[in-house]
Amino acid sequence: MDEGNRKTIWAGRALSILVVLPFVISAVMKLIVHPEVVKGMSQLGLPETLIMPLGVIELLCVVVYLVPQTSVLGAILLTGYVGGTIITHLRVGEPVYVNIILGS
């Protein structure tokens, strides 16, 4: 493998990590049922019982994205997840700029 190809691969990996980092942090916060997540769910009008399933779904989407053979499917799933967060915030009248920028 030549040097240029190796750099391209590592650049792609670095970008993938930057993409999934907010999702991983969000999923972990949900899986440990952090008080801020509970507060956020309440503000969005969502039941606390959804915290754990949403955390699992989010983490599974990240894993699917990080596996090279399924990365396209993972990207589609993460896009759908972000779409869901955006519509949820719009439904309660909250701004979605942060959701669009961070993708979570």
Side-chain angles (χ1 to χ4, degrees):
M1 189 179 315
D2 67 343
E3 186 65 27
N5 196 16
R6 198 172 292 161
K7 285 182 180 179
T8 303
I9 289 171
W10 279 103
R13 289 176 182 166
L15 287 173
S16 290
I17 289 170
L18 288 175
V19 166
V20 299
L21 195 58
F23 290 103
V24 171
I25 293 169
S26 174
V28 168
M29 296 284 283
K30 288 177 181 81
L31 294 175
I32 65 171
V33 191
H34 192 277
E36 286 297 317
V37 173
V38 174
K39 179 181 169 188
M41 294 290 278
S42 174
Q43 289 174 342
L44 293 171
L46 298 171
E48 285 184 38
T49 56
L50 289 179
I51 294 173
M52 192 66 66
L54 285 173
V56 170
I57 290 168
E58 192 170 10
L59 199 55
L60 287 174
C61 289
V62 167
V63 170
V64 172
Y65 174 75
L66 289 175
V67 174
Q69 294 85 351
T70 59
S71 62
V72 172
L73 174 61
I76 293 167
L77 293 172
L78 287 172
T79 302
Y81 189 88
V82 171
T85 65
I86 289 171
I87 197 68
T88 301
H89 285 272
L90 285 173
R91 183 181 63 83
V92 296
E94 290 185 354
V96 294
Y97 307 113
V98 175
N99 299 77
I100 293 170
I101 292 168
L102 294 179
S104 62

